[in-house]
Structure formats: structure tokens, C-alpha cells
Amino acid sequence: NTPKTADFLSGTLCVQDIKDEVRRMSSPPEASPTTPRLKSVDVFRGATIAAMVLVNGQFSREESYPQLAHAAWNGWTFADTIFPSFLFIMGVSLTLSTASRLARGEDHIRLIGHAVRRSLLLFACGVAVDYLRVPAHDFLFFDFQPHLQLTGVLQKIAICYLLAFHIYLWTALRGVVIGIIGLNVLYLALLYLYPVPGCGPGLLTVGCNFPGYLDEIVLDGFRSNSTFDPDGLGTVLSAVTSVLFGVLAGRILLTAWSPWHHLLQLLGGGLVLIAAAALLSAWVPINKQLWTTSFVTLMAGLAATGLACSIWLVDEGLLRRWYRPLEIFGSNAVAAYIISRLVAHLPRVHIMGKSLYSDVLTPVASHPNASLLFAMVVLAEVYLVLWFIDRQGWHLKL
């Protein structure tokens, strides 16, 4: 469970001497094993999941609002901020939960076993969900893909989580910083220097780039049928750093300072990262498909400022009970994603030859608004299922 920062350490972060400071910086921090979850973290996670369902639930991405569709290549939209924000908040939760488990006396071997088990289950769930084919509009039965797909959202989350967990567990804060820098430098070198056959050096086009070439070699036949798969193996190096940025934010929350200190540090750090991304984009384009370094940096900055807003609105009590739906999404995030994949087809089913989108929504709304309303129906379906299982006290814990 995620600890509540207001009760952390009870003042034990005070440094007695330089030796204590070095030891604190080179090992994972401690936390109270009995502190409750941070609502602001759950709410922020819930907001990312709800936004993901809304974007993925669009009836037609071609007819939706541009900000609710992913950028075709360079550039970014609101839709592009969702996945990296989820990886960021996963890094925050990783830090807080690891500290809590260490405080309960769990050793590294048990922590590693839990992380490996969780990653394998996430990966297996991703493969299973992607194996289901979206049914035709006139029936409710699932079909299956002709082959297993080893790339996808949950598969990428599983790999990034496991790699980031090991970096943090064995190297702590300084290793995380070195990992962010080192992995991005290595990835940039591969992007711009690796000689992709048939392509000139440094080309970052849909058909000529290192991640696509690597996926073609390693995952050919086991990835999506698109020309380029953004969730493939080739972008993992930089995607891991999205989690590591979240780990840094989690370290901020592990201090015994007040929520206002957390808010200001996250906000300040987020603004610095956004400015750094703007400067870096002059040399490295912001590209979600390739998960470029400028994209990672920008998304981490936006996520940090978003988490700061969540702390301000939730932990300071400004929203009070209004954030409860997002908290339900956030406390059962994996279940929400899986449910959304399973029920997203239901509003597409034709009933007596009529469809929700063509016969109900488009006659009264423009195509972008009709597509958005359609996605809101999908979101409502997912929330109703989550609300029911939350009322039963059920939580999918991997």
C-alpha cells in the first residue's frame, strides 16, 4: 500500500552527521508500515486511467477532436500525455510501496519476487486482452487474433516497471538519476548513430528508425500490424526513464515535509523539466511514437505539475468528496483498463438495425462531439463496473 507522507518518519530524516547523510542517499528511504494510501496519488492515477478510457473509447479517431487523437508523428496532443503520465505515477507508487515494504521488514529477495510476479501477470494480461479481437457490430461474441501480440500497453508497463524497480532497489536515488541520464544518452546514440539498413544516419521517419528496425528483427510476427508499433521493444530504454522520473517524485513525497513543500518542489521541478524539453526539442523532436528524450522530459514535467495540482486539490481538501470517482479509477487501475478493453465494443452493437453512434448521436451532434459522447458512454460503463466492485471491496492486485 502507498504510505501517507504526512506521517512519514516522524522526524527521523534529521541528519546527525555526514555519514548518516551518505547512507540515507545511497539506500531506499524508510516509511511507516501502517500509514494509509495517499489519496492524491490515487486520484492522479485515476485521472490518467479515465482519460485513457476516454481517448481509446472514441468511435472514430479520424472524426474526433485533434487533442483526443495521438499525433501522427512529431508533435504532441493531450492524448499523448496519458501513457507517460501513468508510467510516471507508477514510479511514484513504486517508491512509496517499496519504502513501506522495507519498513515492514521484507528483504530484497522477497521484494524482487513480488516485482517479477507482478510484471509477469501484467504481461500475461496484456497478451490475453490483445489476443481478443473486437467483434463485429451486430453480435457480442469475441473472436481471436490469428497470432499472439507481445507488444501493447500492459506489456510495456510490465517491462518498464520491472527494469525501473531493479534500478531503484539496487542503486537508490543517485542510481536513478544516473539511470535517467544514461538510458536517454544511450537511446539517443542508437536513434542517431545506429546504421539502420537502407536508411541514412539520424533519420527519424516512420519507415527509418532504430526502434522500428529492432522490433522488426526481434518481434516480427508478434507485434501489431501497424507500420510502426510505439509500444514495441525498441522504445523501452527511454520509457523506463518515465518511471524513474516518477521515482524521483516519490522520493519527494517520502520526506516529512508538509503537502505544501511537496507541491512547491513538484511544481518547480515540473516547470524546469518543461523548459528543458523545450530547449532540447530544437535538436530532438518531441515524438511519442519514438518516445524521444525531449518527449520523456516534457511529459515528466507535465506529470509533475499535474501531481502537484492533485496534492493541492485533494490532500489540502479543496475537492473534498468530488474526487471520489477518480479515486475509484485510481485504486483499481489495471482492472479499469482491462474492463475498458472488454466493454468498449458494447455501444457499437446494432440493436434492431440501429446503432448508438449513427442513429442517436450524429443526428444531434457534430462528428467530433458525437465521438466524444460515444467515448463518455464507454467511460460510464467502465465506471459502473468499477463502482460495483469497489462497493464489494474487490481490488485487482497483481
Side-chain angles (χ1 to χ4, degrees), residues 284-322:
V284 182
I286 295 173
N287 187 307
K288 189 262 184 185
Q289 310 292 325
L290 293 174
W291 219 276
T292 57
T293 300
S294 56
F295 173 79
V296 171
T297 306
L298 174 63
M299 295 300 117
L302 293 175
T305 56
L307 181 56
C309 292
S310 182
I311 291 173
W312 177 53
L313 295 173
V314 177
D315 291 342
E316 291 299 306
L318 297 180
L319 284 183
R320 301 187 184 277
R321 293 179 297 178
W322 294 102

Side-chain angles (χ1 to χ4, degrees), residues 256-289:
W257 298 327
S258 69
W260 280 107
H261 284 90
H262 301 152
L263 188 157
L264 292 175
Q265 281 205 316
L266 288 170
L267 184 60
L271 293 176
V272 169
L273 289 175
I274 291 171
L279 292 175
L280 187 60
S281 66
W283 296 275
V284 182
I286 295 173
N287 187 307
K288 189 262 184 185
Q289 310 292 325

Side-chain angles (χ1 to χ4, degrees), residues 109-375:
I109 300 302
R110 186 170 181 180
L111 290 173
I112 292 172
H114 175 267
V116 171
R117 172 182 170 274
R118 187 182 190 193
S119 296
L120 289 175
L121 288 174
L122 279 171
F123 194 92
C125 286
V127 172
V129 170
D130 289 333
Y131 191 48
L132 297 175
R133 189 198 300 270
V134 177
H137 294 181
D138 56 350
F139 61 88
L140 297 174
F141 298 103
F142 284 106
D143 196 359
F144 299 95
Q145 298 285 1
H147 59 80
L148 291 178
Q149 182 177 320
L150 300 182
T151 63
V153 172
L154 291 181
Q155 295 92 312
K156 190 168 188 174
I157 289 174
I159 295 173
C160 292
Y161 168 80
L162 187 60
L163 294 176
F165 174 82
H166 278 285
I167 292 173
Y168 176 59
L169 185 66
W170 296 111
T171 66
L173 182 60
R174 286 178 293 184
V176 169
V177 175
I178 294 173
I180 291 173
I181 298 173
L183 289 175
N184 277 294
V185 169
L186 175 60
Y187 184 58
L188 286 174
L190 292 171
L191 278 180
Y192 284 99
L193 301 178
Y194 189 88
V196 177
C199 301
L203 279 181
L204 300 182
T205 62
V206 177
C208 280
N209 58 80
F210 170 77
Y213 173 67
L214 179 65
D215 290 342
E216 183 179 355
I217 294 176
V218 179
L219 298 174
D220 189 31
F222 294 95
R223 58 176 181 157
S224 67
N225 294 323
S226 61
T227 305
F228 178 82
D229 190 347
D231 296 325
L233 185 63
T235 60
V236 163
L237 286 178
S238 56
V240 170
T241 64
S242 292
V243 184
L244 294 179
F245 273 117
V247 169
L248 295 182
R251 285 296 298 246
I252 291 175
L253 299 184
L254 275 175
T255 62
W257 298 327
S258 69
W260 280 107
H261 284 90
H262 301 152
L263 188 157
L264 292 175
Q265 281 205 316
L266 288 170
L267 184 60
L271 293 176
V272 169
L273 289 175
I274 291 171
L279 292 175
L280 187 60
S281 66
W283 296 275
V284 182
I286 295 173
N287 187 307
K288 189 262 184 185
Q289 310 292 325
L290 293 174
W291 219 276
T292 57
T293 300
S294 56
F295 173 79
V296 171
T297 306
L298 174 63
M299 295 300 117
L302 293 175
T305 56
L307 181 56
C309 292
S310 182
I311 291 173
W312 177 53
L313 295 173
V314 177
D315 291 342
E316 291 299 306
L318 297 180
L319 284 183
R320 301 187 184 277
R321 293 179 297 178
W322 294 102
Y323 58 74
R324 180 57 184 163
L326 293 179
E327 188 180 8
I328 290 176
F329 271 101
S331 60
N332 232 333
V334 176
Y337 177 77
I338 294 175
I339 292 168
S340 72
R341 293 292 302 272
L342 297 177
V343 306
H345 70 286
L346 290 178
R348 296 176 182 268
V349 174
H350 290 239
I351 300 176
M352 300 180 65
K354 303 293 184 179
S355 70
L356 173 64
Y357 182 77
S358 299
D359 298 297
V360 178
L361 298 179
T362 54
V364 298
S366 64
H367 286 292
N369 285 329
S371 185
L372 178 59
L373 289 171
F374 184 90

